[in-house]
Amino acid sequence: MVRITLIQTSQGRNKELKRFVESLNSQLSIDFSQVQLIFLDQADSREIFKILNKNIIFNYVQIERTSLSHARNIGLEMVKGDYIGFPDDDCWYTPYTLSRVLAHFRKGANGVCAQGLDERDFPTTGAPRTGVHELTPYNQLGAISYTIFLRFSPILKFNEKLGVGSPCNLCSGEETDYVYHSMRYNSGLNYIYDSNIIVHHPLAEKGHYRNELDKVYNYSRGYGYILMLDKYPLKKVFVALCRPLAAIFLFLVTKKLAKSRRSYYILKGRLEGLLYFYFH
């Protein structure tokens, strides 16, 4: 019986993958025969998994280069577990990550969100630093792909307009949208964030964008799109647009031109994502 399935893809970051596999092998207080790892290889990383614990159910699939959401949807067709997670190729677990996640599922949780920390134990998301908190569809407490674990719902898929590699340049929001629909499927009950569950991830992703402003802009387009797609309350839409607008002028007045420019790209991206929803 498989309890948890992890779906992962990569375009060849083998050094980072090795770190993840070693962290998976180092999990404590779990039965490895109840863990499934589905790896969608967009490069040539098979050798890395020779060190994978042999008791883990391992499904390796070679695919052409594609978007993150499309790769994950391929993986979703192969899930055997009751619960799913989506580790990035450059994240890594602490020894009790999976055992603590499964403990919440045994208590009836439908979704569990871990705390994301970088190499220095600095936060990588906007989640609270301490405590256990309830998630809601419009307040997911910094949930991001590598920190979320959900009860598997066979009918749910990632929106392939969203995520890294999006053909629409809506390069974020796929996990927010996926969690939102998971909550709708399960009536929004028992989705929790637990700061004692840790998933590590480097603060800055490398290799996908020419510069930081490209990343900010494309991610903001994704966020603007899901504000409309998932029918966010008007108050949240208003805040999402007014905050970077105010920051543009604040940073101009204080002569922090680089930060003002960054806020401009956030606002531009969010507005374009919002408009993309209506006109495409």
Side-chain angles (χ1 to χ4, degrees), residues 180-215:
Y180 171 82
H181 286 284
S182 175
M183 287 181 169
R184 290 193 64 186
Y185 184 82
N186 291 300
S187 303
L189 299 175
N190 297 320
Y191 287 77
I192 61 99
Y193 164 85
D194 186 344
S195 65
N196 290 314
I197 304 173
I198 305 296
V199 177
H200 285 287
H201 189 282
L203 185 57
E205 295 183 20
K206 299 178 181 178
H208 292 299
Y209 301 98
R210 291 175 297 173
N211 58 56
E212 175 65 17
L213 290 180
D214 279 347
K215 177 180 176 180

Side-chain angles (χ1 to χ4, degrees), residues 50 120 128 133 139 145 155 234 243:
K50 286 186 175 180
R120 302 162 297 170
H133 305 267
N139 187 6
S145 297
I155 67 170
L234 286 178
R243 185 171 289 169

Side-chain angles (χ1 to χ4, degrees), residues 250-261:
L250 175 63
F251 289 132
L252 277 176
V253 169
T254 56
K255 298 182 179 180
K256 297 177 180 177
L257 300 185
K259 289 187 175 181
S260 180
R261 189 180 183 201

Side-chain angles (χ1 to χ4, degrees), residues 21 31 52 65 79 100 109 124 191 201 203 213 229 232 240:
V21 172
D31 180 349
L52 184 68
R65 291 212 168 196
V79 171
R100 289 173 177 170
T124 57
Y191 287 77
H201 189 282
L203 185 57
L213 290 180
L229 178 68
Y232 272 62

Side-chain angles (χ1 to χ4, degrees), residues 78-132:
M78 306 169 64
V79 171
K80 296 180 180 178
D82 300 312
Y83 315 108
I84 52 174
F86 304 97
D88 283 356
D89 57 0
D90 56 348
C91 81
W92 66 101
Y93 295 155
T94 62
Y96 288 99
T97 296
L98 293 186
S99 65
R100 289 173 177 170
V101 166
L102 289 170
H104 279 295
F105 283 127
R106 283 194 292 270
K107 295 175 184 177
N110 286 313
V112 180
C113 180
Q115 180 175 190
L117 299 176
D118 69 9
E119 302 95 326
R120 302 162 297 170
D121 287 337
F122 289 172
T124 57
T125 70
R129 290 304 306 269
T130 60
V132 177

Side-chain angles (χ1 to χ4, degrees), residues 35-46:
V35 177
Q36 178 189 20
L37 175 63
I38 300 170
F39 184 72
L40 295 309
D41 195 348
Q42 300 184 50
D44 185 15
S45 302
R46 187 162 195 160

